[in-house]
Every structure is written in structure tokens, then in C-alpha cells.
Amino acid sequence: MEFKPGEAVEVCTQEEGYKGSYFAATVISRNKLDGSYLVQYHNLVDEKDKKSLLQEVIEGHELRPKPPRLRLPTAICQNFLVDAFENDAWWVGRIVGKEKRKLLVYFELYKSQVGYPIGQLRFHQEWIDGKWIVSQKSALNISS
């Protein structure tokens, strides 16, 4: 898939410590010779000047379109795959329970569990063959 300048995307890095994360960015330009893209992150600041948003050259296979916003239902089920917003990125996890006003999300890759308010969560979606796929395996309803 080819992205145009100004298009909202997510960077899916495989860099150690960031696997399973999606960083919001905007395409600045495309290098037609190697297919790479210059992107500007929405939430990451350039380490050099600490003021401007970070720009980085990314390979095309590390980009996907910005997913559509789907509302989480009020009846959340255990084992739903979600993305949790933390440390300037969306991280893939699975709902494992509820504690007070937070949903508990388990991050398999990092073997950690964190509670999030519903506003920091979204359905996890995969970009496959040019379509957004929501794959949910629900087991136990854990809503209020």
C-alpha cells in the first residue's frame, strides 16, 4: 500500500522494547527509489532540540493506515484484544479482568498487567489484505 503526504498512519516498530506498539504519525514524504517514508510522530519529541516532533525514515512494511475508531461496548468481555495507550503509543494486550473503574490488561510479550480506564483503550485491529480485521475471542462478561 502506498501512503500520501499528510496521511495519518501508525508505525509498527519491531525494535527491541517497542514490539507490540503502534505510534501515531503523519507521512511527510515518500522515497520512490526504496519505498521508505519520512514520517513525523504525533507524540514523540526530537531528542536533539526537545521541542520539535520527531521525524524519522521508516520502511513501508512498518506502516499501516490509522485504524478507524470503534467504540468499546459497555459490556466488555474477558480475553478481548485491545490496544492500551501508554508511553506515547498503543500497546497490544488482552483484557483479563476489572478492578474498580479500570479494566485489567495483560501484555503477553512483556508479562505484565496494568489497569486502564476505558478511555485509554481501543479494540485491537489488524490491517490484512487492505482491510481492518477485528478478531475478538470473548469468554466471560466482566462489565459492571
Side-chain angles (χ1 to χ4, degrees):
M1 174 175 197
E2 189 172 319
F3 299 100
K4 296 179 174 72
E7 192 168 347
V9 294
E10 288 188 340
V11 177
C12 317
T13 184
Q14 292 302 309
E15 200 173 307
E16 193 61 40
Y18 296 98
K19 289 181 182 177
S21 66
Y22 297 87
F23 289 87
T26 299
V27 173
I28 303 299
S29 62
R30 179 175 183 259
N31 182 328
K32 293 182 181 179
L33 295 176
D34 66 7
S36 65
Y37 291 87
L38 175 64
V39 301
Q40 180 172 305
Y41 291 96
H42 294 184
N43 299 310
L44 298 179
V45 177
D46 190 313
E47 289 290 319
K48 293 176 186 167
D49 71 9
K50 307 282 187 206
K51 294 177 185 173
S52 345
L53 292 173
L54 177 64
Q55 291 187 1
E56 186 174 43
V57 175
I58 301 293
E59 293 182 39
H61 71 271
E62 293 182 289
L63 295 180
R64 70 181 197 172
K66 178 183 174 183
R69 188 78 172 156
L70 302 176
R71 290 180 61 127
L72 286 171
T74 53
I76 300 294
C77 292
Q78 192 164 332
N79 289 325
F80 266 20
L81 283 176
V82 294
D83 297 333
F85 193 76
E86 176 133 354
N87 295 325
D88 301 319
W90 292 99
W91 299 80
V92 181
R94 184 174 300 281
I95 293 176
V96 294
K98 186 175 182 181
E99 186 176 87
K100 297 184 183 175
R101 293 183 177 191
K102 294 185 177 182
L103 293 172
L104 301 175
V105 179
Y106 181 71
F107 302 96
E108 180 68 37
L109 196 59
Y110 299 100
K111 308 287 188 237
S112 68
Q113 179 178 298
V114 180
Y116 293 94
I118 200 162
Q120 280 183 255
L121 300 175
R122 69 180 188 188
F123 275 120
H124 178 70
Q125 300 174 70
E126 290 291 335
W127 181 248
I128 300 172
D129 296 328
K131 295 179 184 171
W132 286 107
I133 307 297
V134 178
S135 174
Q136 298 301 332
K137 178 181 153 187
S138 59
L140 179 63
N141 186 309
I142 58 170
S143 64
S144 54

